Amino acid sequence: MSIIDSFKLTGKTALVTGARRGIGKAMAVALAEAGADIVATSAGLEPEGSAIQREIAARGRKYWGFACDLADRVAVRGFIEKVKRECPPIDILVNNGGSILRKPAAEHPDEYWDRIIEIDLNAQFVLAREFGRDMLARGAGKIIFTASLLSFQGGITVPGYAAAKGGVAQLTKALANEWAGRNVQVNAIAPGYIATDNTQALRADPVRNPAILARIPAGRWGDPEDLAGAVVFLACPASNYVSGTVLTVDGGWMGR
């Protein structure tokens, strides 16, 4: 296989969670451009006529879209069953869907903690386990988690999110240790400060925004499209010997 061919995803089917907008949408579009058909889900994804559906169709790829609330374990199980029943086997799972709730730790309510752990960690494991089991049976597959800089650092006013993303990094390694020898590669991408809905509050903060920009060697907030190359690499044959890695895409933040 040539190096160019090793980056192609023709004939593969990728499931991307949190695909309606932001990072998930950019990842889904990138995978489609590399040749993959796309199964997309988000809590508020429209059954027909969504922006992500139009983007995938414009690239000549097949598309399946489902609404699923990752905070609802019953809904997640139902979603998994529907995908296995209605879609081709999943070759690539991009566990990107997530949420964040901000409140100082001493005032952080149980409801915030429980919701974020359920969405950002528990659902991630359930999806990886259920689709990973099928990949193991077929002898091939790729699982990519969206981690965070808070997989390495503690952050401020987001204890549930930091705990969940720390868990995602360790879950990536735990699954990789068990599955790499069976040709299922499990890795994660840790985005830096990306301009999305989740970071709107930070970008609007007159104190935090300039402080963040001052530490980023690249001198700017990232765009969702900055994750495109990383997700295609970890989804394609070119990364077959990469396993258990948390790849930072952060404009140099972690090297500072």
Side-chain angles (χ1 to χ4, degrees):
M1 181 184 295
S2 72
I3 187 62
I4 296 300
D5 286 341
S6 73
F7 279 86
K8 294 179 180 177
L9 297 174
T10 306
K12 302 295 185 181
T13 301
L15 166 57
V16 183
T17 68
R20 183 171 177 264
R21 60 189 179 184
I23 290 172
K25 181 182 175 186
M27 287 178 167
V29 169
L31 294 170
E33 289 184 352
D37 296 324
I38 302 297
V39 179
T41 185
S42 285
L45 186 63
E46 304 90 334
E48 293 291 339
S50 65
I52 184 60
Q53 181 177 10
R54 293 193 297 271
E55 294 263 20
I56 302 307
R59 287 154 178 83
R61 309 302 173 203
K62 295 178 182 176
Y63 170 88
W64 298 263
F66 303 92
C68 179
D69 181 1
L70 297 182
D72 183 341
R73 186 74 62 90
V74 173
V76 170
R77 291 188 181 279
F79 164 71
I80 292 168
E81 292 172 3
K82 182 174 283 191
V83 170
K84 291 188 179 189
R85 185 171 62 248
E86 299 181 10
C87 303
I90 300 302
D91 303 294
I92 303 155
L93 170 62
V94 181
N95 256 333
N96 168 76
S99 189
I100 190 168
L101 291 171
R102 302 178 186 277
K103 192 173 281 289
E107 305 161 17
H108 209 81
D110 289 356
E111 293 78 12
Y112 277 28
W113 175 273
D114 291 345
R115 179 173 176 81
I116 296 305
I117 294 297
E118 186 64 31
I119 294 171
D120 291 5
L121 184 57
N122 293 347
Q124 314 300 314
F125 172 67
V126 172
L127 288 161
R129 181 189 64 203
E130 296 303 312
F131 288 108
R133 183 185 293 124
D134 295 342
M135 294 175 185
L136 292 169
R138 295 194 304 272
K142 302 277 189 175
I143 297 175
I144 304 161
F145 291 95
T146 295
S148 169
L149 294 184
L150 298 196
S151 297
F152 310 100
Q153 302 173 324
I156 299 171
T157 73
V158 288
Y161 183 83
K165 291 301 186 178
V168 163
Q170 292 304 103
L171 178 59
T172 297
K173 298 169 190 176
L175 297 181
N177 288 343
E178 293 193 36
W179 295 352
R182 299 174 67 180
N183 198 34
V184 174
Q185 291 83 47
V186 184
N187 293 285
I189 298 171
Y193 285 90
I194 308 297
T196 66
D197 291 347
N198 274 356
T199 59
Q200 177 59 45
L202 288 177
R203 287 181 286 126
D205 188 313
V207 176
R208 294 291 307 283
N209 185 40
I212 288 167
L213 284 172
R215 178 172 164 163
I216 301 173
R220 66 175 178 86
W221 284 74
D223 296 315
E225 290 73 22
D226 287 319
L227 284 301
V231 76
V232 169
F233 170 62
L234 292 177
C236 74
S239 64
N240 280 353
Y241 200 58
V242 179
S243 188
T245 290
V246 181
L247 174 62
T248 55
V249 181
D250 63 355
W253 175 281
M254 288 301 295
R256 193 64 175 261

